[in-house]
Amino acid sequence: MSAAAPAPGVPEGLAKAFAARTRAVGYGHREWIAGSRTASGIGRFQHQGTSYTAYQAAYLLRTGRLPVGSVKPTCGVPTCCDPAHVDDQATRQRDRAALADVKGMRHRPPSCDHDQAVHGRRRTDGKRYCKECNREASVPKCEHGNPQCGARPVRPYPCGPRCDEHQPAITRPYVTAAA
């Protein structure tokens, strides 16, 4: 890594901590060599009480801001964590739209908050769908028809968790007037 000053917004010492855990492997790529890893093999470390993946730290070092959505290498090397080779979800979607515009194609932005480049799927009829959205939609409602809105905090009920707004009326907490 170069000794250039870090971008504004980068915690002090993050560049040094990141450099100590990575090494250059040629063609501008970097690999994670020290510290723990996530279940999927991505480097992970803590700096000043904040947990970062190697990709998040690399993105923060390059841009000076926290990533939006997932961070992934764009160089084609799945384990590369070089700051110049990683982008967040918002940047990848912006780049896809720009490429579609240059090619004269119509860009269809994702209809959900999940990264379609990773979660996008096609059904047997060719229609696209998001695996994560499909999983969320497949959560059954209880026998009383209560909605699963996904709001937080939720309370456990025999028919599943519900947020405060969507509790079954008969199970709302009983409140008595103060005497």
Side-chain angles (χ1 to χ4, degrees), residues 42-104:
I42 301 167
R44 175 176 292 278
F45 70 106
Q46 285 216 348
H47 179 70
Q48 295 180 352
T50 303
S51 181
Y52 297 97
T53 65
Y55 300 155
Q56 290 169 334
Y59 185 82
L60 181 60
L61 288 170
R62 189 183 89 225
T63 64
R65 69 175 178 85
L66 291 172
V68 176
S70 61
V71 182
K72 301 199 184 320
T74 57
C75 60
V77 178
T79 58
C80 180
C81 59
D82 189 80
H85 295 181
V86 296
D87 274 326
D88 67 346
Q89 178 178 342
T91 304
R92 289 190 305 272
Q93 289 175 357
R94 183 200 67 212
D95 291 349
R96 284 185 209 122
L99 180 62
D101 191 41
V102 167
K103 288 184 165 188

Side-chain angles (χ1 to χ4, degrees), residues 139-148 155-162 166-168 171:
V139 175
K141 293 182 180 178
C142 72
E143 69 262 16
H144 305 292
N146 294 316
Q148 297 259 355
R155 294 185 180 175
Y157 289 94
C159 55
R162 302 286 173 266
H166 293 113
Q167 292 181 44
T171 60

